[in-house]
Amino acid sequence: LEKKAETAIREAADLDQLKDLRVKYLGKKGELTTILRGMKDLSPEERPVVGGLANEIRTGLERWIGNKEEELKKAALTTRLEAEALDVTLPAAPPSLGAVHPISAVIEQIEDIFIGMGFEVAEGPEVESDYYNFEALNLPKEHPARDMQDSFYITPEILLRTHTSPVQVRTMEAKEGQVPVKIICPGKVYRRDDDDATHSHQFHQVEGLVIDRGIAMSELHGILAGFAEKMFGMKLETRLRPSYFPFTEPSVEMDISCIQCGGEGCRMCKNTGWIEILGAGMVHPRVLEGAGYDSERYTGFAFGMGPDRIALLKYGIDDIRHFYTNDVKFLRQFQSL
Ligand code: FA5
């Protein structure tokens, strides 16, 4: 029995087999236990002899099983360590870095240029009241010019702002008739426009407002032409075209010469050689008065530009929708901005 058990224990391949052997020999119904139980049938002289021998064997088997168990556990650990080994000298996979979105980058550039010209940055809410978005800007209810900006209404009096111009009124109110006012306001705006290569239903604007004594149209042109030159890094031709906004009088739109001009059939300027980048004008006296400014003493100009369109031009992108479809391959091209 001892020999048989010793061989079996030595050859046990894993811990499960070893457990089975322990049960087989030393368990309640095990072979050695059965011998010890049978001792009651032996003569009193034989008992101590057989008993001593059986106990000796039992101690021996327990020791072998214990040793084998250690050995198997060690082997199992070694195998696992080998399987899970890490080569710490391998070069790590490069972490994927995020980057500034091209529109955010353009807005930051616009802010830097205007801050350099002494402007402060103001903010206003995207969910706006009909009063600030339209009425205080000389656009009463039923005014036909409201159609220029198809809106997303939340309630009859609350809407998603269609432009950043409401911040003009909010800023003037906060300043309580004090001058100078010299702010820009970047932000998101929303319109029920049909999306195409140059229109999005959600886009961005940067509003500008300057109020002081003796502010004239020539200053507006000077500031905007200077801005265009800095933004595009070259001397550009600019032109002001007469336009109409109820909150400015006179009103203009500014075009820059098409820097992406592909000539015949150019998608950017539709062959005109000019691209509109903003609307502007002298603040309407009614808007000044409504916000607490004496329009006899003070004059001002305002403008509203579209950074999405500026980003299209600056980076030669042919469709505004690229900015909003989150194609990582597209966005990765601007990682260095
Ligand atoms: C306005 O929103 C006026 N509030 C601008 C203004 C401010 C005029 C202050 C006078 C004084 P307009 O609707 O033209 O104007 O929009 C201004 C600029 O926003 C456009 O020149 C264009 O660059 C951009 N824009 C307009 N609609 C969209 C659109 N759907 N998607 C992308 N950009 C747009």
Side-chain angles (χ1 to χ4, degrees):
L1 176 88
E2 190 183 13
K3 276 264 153 325
K4 218 172 71 193
E6 192 195 339
T7 319
I9 290 167
R10 200 177 330 112
E11 285 171 2
D14 57 34
L15 288 164
D16 282 343
Q17 275 184 23
L18 195 66
K19 202 170 135 202
D20 292 346
L21 289 174
R22 186 195 291 276
V23 174
K24 182 167 185 233
Y25 293 107
L26 302 176
K28 266 192 204 147
K29 290 183 186 154
E31 290 181 23
L32 194 67
T33 321
T34 314
I35 293 174
L36 284 167
R37 275 217 194 102
M39 288 214 329
K40 61 179 183 324
D41 303 330
L42 296 176
S43 65
E45 302 82 53
E46 284 173 319
R47 257 183 235 169
V49 183
V50 175
L53 187 65
N55 272 331
E56 213 173 279
I57 295 173
R58 180 190 188 90
T59 319
L61 288 187
E62 270 168 356
R63 201 175 54 241
W64 288 329
I65 291 176
N67 289 347
K68 186 70 184 180
E69 196 176 353
E70 288 267 292
E71 188 186 308
L72 286 173
K73 274 188 181 157
K74 249 188 223 157
L77 184 65
T78 314
T79 325
R80 216 178 107 197
L81 285 177
E82 270 165 16
E84 292 177 3
L86 289 178
D87 182 353
V88 291
T89 64
L90 278 179
S96 70
L97 289 179
V100 177
H101 190 280
I103 292 186
S104 305
V106 163
I107 291 175
E108 276 174 29
Q109 291 164 24
I110 296 174
E111 284 177 3
D112 285 348
I113 294 170
F114 280 103
I115 288 169
M117 294 195 276
F119 282 71
E120 283 175 31
V121 178
E123 279 188 354
E126 285 174 33
V127 179
E128 189 52 284
S129 67
D130 184 275
Y131 175 77
Y132 284 111
N133 196 80
F134 289 129
E135 223 146 307
L137 290 165
N138 198 26
L139 267 150
K141 293 211 167 66
E142 315 305 334
H143 192 295
R146 283 195 178 202
D147 288 349
M148 289 161 77
Q149 301 183 4
D150 241 348
S151 327
F152 290 113
Y153 274 89
I154 293 169
T155 70
E157 287 303 320
I158 306 280
L159 73 160
L160 296 177
R161 67 179 175 192
T162 55
H163 52 175
T164 41
S165 298
V167 186
Q168 288 183 34
V169 183
R170 288 181 175 275
T171 305
M172 285 190 268
E173 283 182 359
K175 285 266 192 177
E176 295 180 338
Q178 300 298 306
V179 290
V181 177
K182 206 172 175 190
I183 57 118
I184 54 162
C185 165
K188 290 193 177 79
V189 300
Y190 305 81
R191 287 187 199 176
R192 281 181 51 188
D193 279 351
D194 288 330
D195 290 0
D196 64 21
T198 53
H199 290 82
S200 174
H201 56 281
Q202 181 261 296
F203 57 103
H204 298 79
Q205 283 190 342
V206 178
E207 192 77 12
L209 175 69
V210 174
I211 304 174
D212 209 335
R213 275 176 186 272
I215 296 286
M217 193 83 175
S218 52
E219 269 129 353
L220 169 67
H221 193 191
I223 287 217
L224 292 178
F227 159 77
E229 196 181 321
K230 288 206 180 75
M231 189 69 211
F232 294 99
M234 60 176 106
K235 191 127 192 84
L236 284 173
E237 267 190 85
T238 57
R239 72 173 185 190
L240 294 182
R241 246 181 322 107
S243 184
Y244 172 75
F245 299 102
F247 33 93
T248 46
E249 178 58 36
S251 301
V252 291
E253 279 176 319
M254 188 167 96
D255 296 338
I256 59 168
S257 50
C258 181
I259 53 172
Q260 296 290 343
C261 204
E264 194 65 22
C266 176
R267 250 183 108 185
M268 279 286 164
C269 65
K270 304 200 174 75
N271 265 357
T272 59
W274 295 99
I275 295 177
E276 173 212 316
I277 58 164
L278 56 87
M282 300 305 293
V283 182
H284 197 291
R286 218 176 280 162
V287 175
L288 285 171
E289 296 286 344
Y293 279 80
D294 180 350
S295 64
E296 297 287 325
R297 288 178 75 191
Y298 302 124
T299 50
F301 65 74
F303 57 84
M305 62 177 70
D308 303 56
R309 298 246 180 105
I310 292 173
L312 287 183
L313 282 176
K314 181 156 178 163
Y315 301 115
I317 299 160
D318 64 0
D319 198 315
I320 200 169
R321 287 166 290 198
H322 287 310
F323 292 132
Y324 299 106
T325 38
N326 293 334
D327 179 345
V328 176
K329 273 189 271 173
F330 169 77
L331 294 172
R332 217 170 254 150
Q333 300 173 77
F334 303 96
Q335 215 152 19
S336 60
L337 289 186

